[in-house]
């Protein structure tokens, strides 16, 4: 399965904020939207970084609760690994395993066109496994 197929099902919606937004506002956004990461963009919408719930935990432990008043740009991961619409789920899983992260923004022609989380991948893998099991059961029952 490709990234394009996943995006067709889940949509192209990506939660983005600019780097001057505070970590508290990001925590609020993650909680409201029930997501694990937000992509940081500049005024033109170009990708600048990513902040996940793990960054919030790390920053609070390192600097105390006052870290929540700090702008995201001081705490975001700047070197963001991205994927493209033509990548496969297997490639995404490899990328997440090697990079030890659970979110991959999808970039096409320099533009942010979606995001895939490990939750999206697990959901599709379970659906695929169930379809295979059903097909196998039908095959055995028909013989
Ligand atoms: P996550 O597992 O996605 O919560 O992220 C774990 C750590 O990796 C955090 O420090 C994130 O900022 C960072 N991170 C998340 N996604 C990416 C990505 N696609 N590229 C680089 N770093 C990332």
């Amino acid at each position: 399965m490709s990234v394009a197929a996943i995006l067709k099902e889940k949509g192209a919606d990506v939660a983005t904020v600019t780097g001057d937004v505070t970590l508290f506002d990001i925590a609020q956004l993650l909680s409201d939207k029930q997501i694990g990461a937000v992509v940081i963009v500049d005024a033109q919408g170009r990708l600048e970084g990513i902040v996940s719930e793990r960054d919030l935990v790390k920053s609070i432990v390192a600097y105390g609760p006052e870290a929540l008043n700090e702008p995201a740009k001081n705490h975001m991961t700047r070197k963001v690994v991205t994927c493209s619409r033509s990548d496969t789920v297997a490639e995404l899983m490899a990328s997440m395993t090697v990079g030890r992260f659970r979110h991959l923004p999808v970039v096409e022609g320099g533009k942010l066109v979606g995001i895939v989380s490990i939750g999206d991948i697990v959901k599709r893998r379970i659906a695929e496994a169930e379809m295979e099991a059903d097909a196998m059961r039908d095959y055995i029952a028909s013989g």
Side-chain angles (χ1 to χ4, degrees):
M1 182 182 268
S2 68
V3 169
I6 293 177
L7 292 186
K8 198 171 168 199
E9 204 179 313
K10 74 167 273 194
D13 213 27
V14 188
T16 62
V17 293
T18 52
D20 52 355
V21 163
T22 66
L23 289 191
F24 182 83
D25 287 335
I26 289 183
Q28 185 95 63
L29 185 73
L30 298 183
S31 171
D32 288 349
K33 290 190 170 277
Q34 300 188 325
I35 54 174
V38 62
V39 174
I40 311 299
V41 293
D42 67 13
Q44 282 72 45
R46 285 184 299 245
L47 195 152
E48 277 195 325
I50 189 164
V51 172
S52 85
E53 51 204 2
R54 192 158 296 173
D55 297 309
L56 297 179
V57 171
K58 266 187 352 203
S59 297
I60 292 167
V61 169
Y63 306 106
E66 301 77 43
L68 290 169
N69 300 320
E70 293 256 332
K73 61 180 170 230
N74 295 355
H75 299 267
M76 68 188 181
T77 300
R78 291 176 183 271
K79 219 174 155 208
V80 183
V81 179
T82 61
C83 65
S84 66
R85 293 171 61 85
S86 58
D87 285 343
T88 64
V89 164
E91 286 168 327
L92 264 56
M93 287 195 297
S95 184
M96 287 183 182
T97 305
V98 171
R100 294 174 150 270
F101 47 68
R102 296 164 293 182
H103 298 87
L104 272 170
V106 188
V107 174
E108 207 72 24
K111 283 208 170 70
L112 191 59
V113 295
I115 189 163
V116 178
S117 74
I118 200 159
D120 297 322
I121 291 176
V122 169
K123 194 172 150 194
R124 267 88 193 165
R125 294 287 288 179
I126 290 172
E128 273 175 8
E130 281 172 352
M131 266 164 52
E132 277 169 23
D134 285 348
M136 193 70 80
R137 259 192 298 273
D138 289 348
Y139 175 71
I140 291 166
S142 69

